[in-house]
Amino acid sequence: MYCAWLFRVATVSLVLLLSAKGDLGGNEPHVSGTVGDATPGRAARIDPEELEAFLQKFFDERMRELHIPGAVFVLVQDGKISFKKGYGYANLNGQAPVDPDKTLFWVASVTKLVTATAVMQLVERGLLNVDESVNKYLRDFRLDESRFSPVTIRHLLTHTSGLDGKEIGMAARTAADVMPLGKYVAQRMPRRALPPGDVIMYSNYGYALAGHLVEAVTTQSYAQYVRENILTPLEMRHSTIQQPLPRDLIGDLAVGYEFNDNAFQPVRDTFLHDLPAGGLVATGTDMARFMIAHLELGRYGNVRILNQGTALEMHRQQFTQHPRLPGRTFGFNERLAHGVRAIEHGGDLSGYASLLFLLPAERVGFFVACNNDVPRFREELLDAFLDHYYPVAPPPIFHPPGGFKNRAAHFAGRYRYNRYARFGLEKLLTPFSEFHVTADSDGALTVRYPAGFGDFRKPFQITEVEPLLFQRSDDAGYVAFRQDDHGRVTHMFGSFFGPTVFEKLAWYETATIQALLLGFFLMVFSLTILAWPIGYLLRRWRGPSSRPMQRWPLARVIAGAVAALNLFFVVTFVLLLLRVLREGAGEFNFGVPPAVVALLYIPLISTVLTLPLPVFAAMVWKRRCWSLPGRVHYTLVAMTAIGFLPFLHYWNLLGFQF
């Protein structure tokens, strides 16, 4: 799942320099003095009995409210499993209860932590270098380097590769249809959209490619390497990254559900092509062992999966957009809240949601998973957990500095979450990721989430505390902005759902303007289809005109065909998308439905027919065809059809871009 920043802090540069020198295997690597540092540990431990009472109340209320069939929660502290419990049902039909030792959940993107761990093991062995170009290790294909500088492993692990979003077709319907990882990353390679190392932009493909590098330098499959070097040493015997699931485990997989029309519907089986980005299936207890290994800096009992120095390096902030904001480590997101520094990663897959959350300085961590993809559940749990065990006083209230009220309008506008497909069909989803920043009368700014977030994410105010740095009123840290060389605000940065970046939209790119444009196109095309047949009937009813005019019917036939094709395409495409999404947004995980592919031929045909329309418009004026209103109408239709082409191009609807 980001945009560009104004600068890199000196401490991050120092980390990069040390890493480039290979300082990944020592006992005490340098720790920078930024927000990425660990906070001093607290003496108080979490009491398991008190935790159980706290969780029971939360799970009883929120699982019922959010339609969660089953969930698991495990807490580790001081190198041991302190608490584990299952809630609800793994399978509603059989009423099988969730068992933390036995019930399997897809952990989805939490798998990226396993992939990052595998990569860092190979860095320890000298088989990989985080600052080496990815192309050095690839055999059968290469990332394009004609436009931007090389992508390194560091870029992949911190989501700063600049690779475009490309999520369609990440899964198969059957295990037999799953592509080998090397074939998948070669055939589904996205275009390079942004310079590497400049901004965070979440990329599933980037982690799939990182997993393929494991294969490239070990000659083992990714799944085999992970099993032998991570799962087996950590005694994660009831977990797998194998597809299909082994026969002895398949019966323990929690059924994933969606809640539609007041009923739970099981989701269809998913077989991922990009296993390193989201393919781990695990129990709560096994994930506890993985957490212990990281909290104990690479050690689990008498086994070590990482050297201490490597684990510290993996947990350290490797990239941030601003020294006051959380950033990315090798694999983890940072979270700075409640006076503590956490590293974490969430996961979402159709029917499943999860979160792995660590407080390294406290030697405390928890893992939660459920069998309905409701991210709100884990976020509310995390907020409640931190409020309960790490309460802090609210921050002081800041007031806008003098003169900011006059500058507030520069920051106001619409901002788009930058994890989107610039060159693919998925761009159609971007209107649902717009954040709205408005200038208030008191000089502060208000940030509003997209409508789809409902009441869970409420608007909040931000107040400038430094140039381009703002404090949030909801005690959730800071928001920063970036300007270009001309002083125009171009980006907004913050921790909205992890370290997040937003691009400021030009006025014509906003969902409102795009919707108005689409409405105008549809109106003209609709009126054209209606007006010309009605006009023909009226002329027949009135009889021959006393003033002969050239008719030139071919021009009208082609323009009418363009209007009909465009109108049919838009209406049918929208209805088809709504039907597909109603059946489950995960449908696009398996690729573009054949009906959508067939519809995409229509804009190509329409484009060919549109190109001569301006010539026809000039000719009807030159030859004085039809009446004056007729010529004006025809010109309007021609110009509208021409204007519709860049609209289609902007939304990647010309051709088969997926």
Side-chain angles (χ1 to χ4, degrees):
M1 359 190 16
Y2 306 153
C3 310
W5 275 97
L6 183 60
F7 56 86
R8 291 267 194 102
V9 294
T11 49
V12 173
S13 299
L14 182 57
V15 170
L16 298 179
L17 178 61
L18 289 173
S19 297
K21 293 180 179 179
D23 189 17
L24 293 173
N27 292 327
E28 283 297 333
H30 168 76
V31 179
S32 64
T34 69
V35 291
D37 291 341
T39 54
R42 301 181 184 182
R45 297 291 88 190
I46 296 174
D47 177 71
E49 292 185 2
E50 192 278 334
L51 174 66
E52 182 173 17
F54 163 74
L55 291 176
Q56 192 66 54
K57 183 176 184 296
F58 178 89
F59 277 71
D60 285 347
E61 294 178 356
R62 303 314 295 147
M63 287 178 66
R64 181 176 60 255
E65 179 73 20
L66 298 177
H67 309 294
I68 307 295
V72 67
F73 182 96
V74 291
L75 180 113
V76 300
Q77 56 183 343
D78 300 327
K80 300 176 182 178
I81 298 177
S82 179
F83 174 83
K84 59 182 178 180
K85 187 172 181 179
Y87 301 85
Y89 298 105
N91 187 330
L92 290 176
N93 286 338
Q95 297 285 288
V98 172
D99 183 340
D101 296 327
K102 184 179 179 182
T103 305
L104 294 163
F105 290 86
W106 282 91
V107 305
S109 286
V110 176
T111 307
K112 292 179 175 68
L113 301 180
V114 175
T115 300
T117 301
V119 169
M120 296 307 289
Q121 287 178 334
L122 298 174
V123 170
E124 279 187 349
R125 300 176 195 173
L127 296 178
L128 293 174
N129 184 325
V130 294
D131 292 307
E132 195 70 62
S133 170
V134 167
N135 282 344
K136 176 181 177 180
Y137 305 103
L138 298 177
R139 300 173 182 174
D140 302 325
F141 65 96
R142 292 286 186 273
L143 294 184
D144 176 43
E145 295 181 354
S146 61
R147 184 181 176 194
F148 298 117
S149 59
V151 173
T152 68
I153 297 173
R154 179 183 300 277
H155 297 144
L156 299 182
L157 296 185
T158 56
H159 293 285
T160 56
S161 65
L163 292 167
D164 195 33
K166 195 169 188 178
E167 308 295 337
I168 290 177
M170 60 182 280
R173 298 186 186 278
T174 67
D177 294 329
V178 174
M179 284 190 282
L181 181 58
K183 182 178 180 181
Y184 172 78
V185 293
Q187 292 188 358
R188 298 295 295 167
M189 184 191 306
R191 292 171 62 177
R192 300 186 62 183
L194 301 172
D198 188 27
V199 296
I200 296 169
M201 186 167 66
Y202 193 90
S203 173
N204 279 326
Y205 177 88
Y207 265 79
L209 184 57
H212 176 60
L213 295 182
V214 172
E215 296 183 329
V217 299
T218 65
T219 68
Q220 294 179 284
S221 71
Y222 169 81
Q224 180 184 359
Y225 179 89
V226 167
R227 182 176 65 251
E228 294 179 1
N229 294 274
I230 297 176
L231 302 186
T232 299
L234 296 182
E235 300 178 359
M236 298 174 67
R237 300 186 183 96
H238 214 66
S239 300
T240 185
I241 205 157
Q242 178 181 330
Q243 290 186 114
L245 297 184
R247 290 185 178 181
D248 60 330
L249 297 181
I250 195 168
D252 295 330
L253 177 64
V255 176
Y257 292 95
E258 292 179 344
F259 190 78
N260 295 317
D261 299 324
N262 291 318
F264 286 101
Q265 303 293 335
V267 300
R268 68 174 63 197
D269 291 338
T270 298
F271 301 91
L272 296 177
H273 299 303
D274 59 347
L275 283 177
L280 180 64
V281 179
T283 66
T285 300
D286 280 358
M287 291 307 298
R289 296 182 175 112
F290 182 78
M291 290 191 291
I292 289 171
H294 271 279
L295 288 171
E296 298 303 302
L297 300 179
R299 181 175 58 84
Y300 177 75
N302 296 323
V303 174
R304 182 169 285 281
I305 63 168
L306 290 172
N307 291 337
Q308 179 178 330
T310 307
L312 285 169
E313 186 72 8
M314 187 172 171
H315 298 170
R316 178 163 50 220
Q317 182 191 90
Q318 299 290 339
F319 186 91
T320 183
Q321 310 287 180
H322 190 283
R324 301 291 290 273
L325 295 178
R328 294 274 181 180
T329 78
F330 286 145
F332 293 92
N333 303 327
E334 275 191 312
R335 182 186 291 258
L336 308 171
H338 289 250
V340 294
R341 174 188 182 254
I343 54 176
E344 61 179 357
H345 209 297
D348 295 285
L349 188 69
S350 182
Y352 302 90
S354 60
L355 173 67
L356 186 148
F357 180 83
L358 303 180
L359 296 168
E362 313 292 320
R363 296 175 67 201
V364 169
F366 73 75
F367 172 78
V368 63
C370 60
N371 54 346
N372 190 358
D373 185 10
V374 184
R376 176 175 179 175
F377 177 70
R378 65 168 181 248
E379 291 298 322
E380 289 187 354
L381 172 62
L382 179 56
D383 289 342
F385 180 87
L386 291 174
D387 287 341
H388 187 70
Y389 290 105
Y390 299 92
V392 292
I397 299 176
F398 289 89
H399 298 284
F404 177 76
K405 189 173 182 179
N406 298 327
R407 296 184 289 112
H410 294 292
F411 299 90
R414 301 276 180 169
Y415 291 79
R416 175 189 293 163
Y417 179 35
N418 84 327
R419 184 191 176 188
Y420 69 93
R422 290 151 183 80
F423 306 110
L425 195 62
E426 297 101 316
K427 190 176 183 180
L428 290 168
L429 299 177
T430 59
F432 305 104
S433 65
E434 284 187 15
F435 282 58
H436 192 193
V437 177
T438 56
D440 300 337
S441 58
D442 60 358
L445 301 174
T446 294
V447 180
R448 291 178 173 83
Y449 285 85
F453 282 80
D455 294 333
F456 175 48
R457 298 293 190 183
K458 296 181 179 179
F460 58 88
Q461 279 195 325
I462 56 175
T463 305
E464 190 176 47
V465 292
E466 296 176 10
L468 302 179
L469 180 68
F470 293 71
Q471 185 178 44
R472 293 176 56 154
S473 61
D474 57 356
D475 190 24
Y478 297 88
V479 170
F481 291 86
R482 181 181 184 178
Q483 293 179 337
D484 62 16
D485 294 338
H486 302 286
R488 293 188 293 261
V489 174
T490 57
H491 298 86
M492 177 174 69
F493 314 101
S495 184
F496 294 87
F497 28 86
T500 325
V501 178
F502 301 86
E503 300 170 350
K504 190 176 184 184
L505 296 175
W507 65 270
Y508 57 85
E509 291 185 289
T510 64
T512 301
I513 297 300
Q514 290 293 310
L516 289 174
L517 275 175
L518 181 59
F520 172 76
F521 293 137
L522 294 179
M523 179 187 69
V524 173
F525 295 146
S526 300
L527 291 177
T528 298
I529 295 172
L530 293 173
W532 283 341
I534 292 174
Y536 172 78
L537 293 175
L538 288 175
R539 287 192 297 273
R540 290 292 300 269
W541 179 68
R542 291 173 179 170
S545 173
S546 59
R547 180 185 174 189
M549 297 184 194
Q550 296 186 45
R551 298 298 179 191
W552 207 16
L554 179 64
R556 273 183 167 157
V557 169
I558 293 178
V562 168
L565 286 170
N566 288 338
L567 183 63
F568 176 80
F569 170 74
V570 172
V571 173
T572 307
F573 192 85
V574 169
L575 292 177
L576 186 59
L577 280 182
L578 289 176
R579 192 195 72 178
V580 171
L581 294 175
R582 190 164 52 247
E583 293 175 353
E587 182 71 19
F588 281 91
N589 290 341
F590 306 107
V592 179
V596 175
V597 176
L599 272 179
L600 290 174
Y601 282 97
I602 294 178
L604 298 178
I605 298 171
S606 174
T607 297
V608 173
L609 296 177
T610 297
L611 296 179
L613 292 187
V615 177
F616 291 165
M619 294 298 293
V620 299
W621 283 96
K622 181 178 180 181
R623 298 183 181 183
R624 299 180 63 81
C625 298
W626 318 314
S627 64
L628 178 61
R631 295 196 297 271
V632 170
H633 180 215
Y634 189 89
T635 304
L636 174 63
V637 173
M639 294 301 99
T640 301
I642 289 292
F644 191 57
L645 298 183
F647 180 85
L648 291 172
H649 175 72
Y650 179 81
W651 293 109
N652 298 323
L653 290 169
L654 283 177
F656 306 94
Q657 302 186 53
F658 47 83

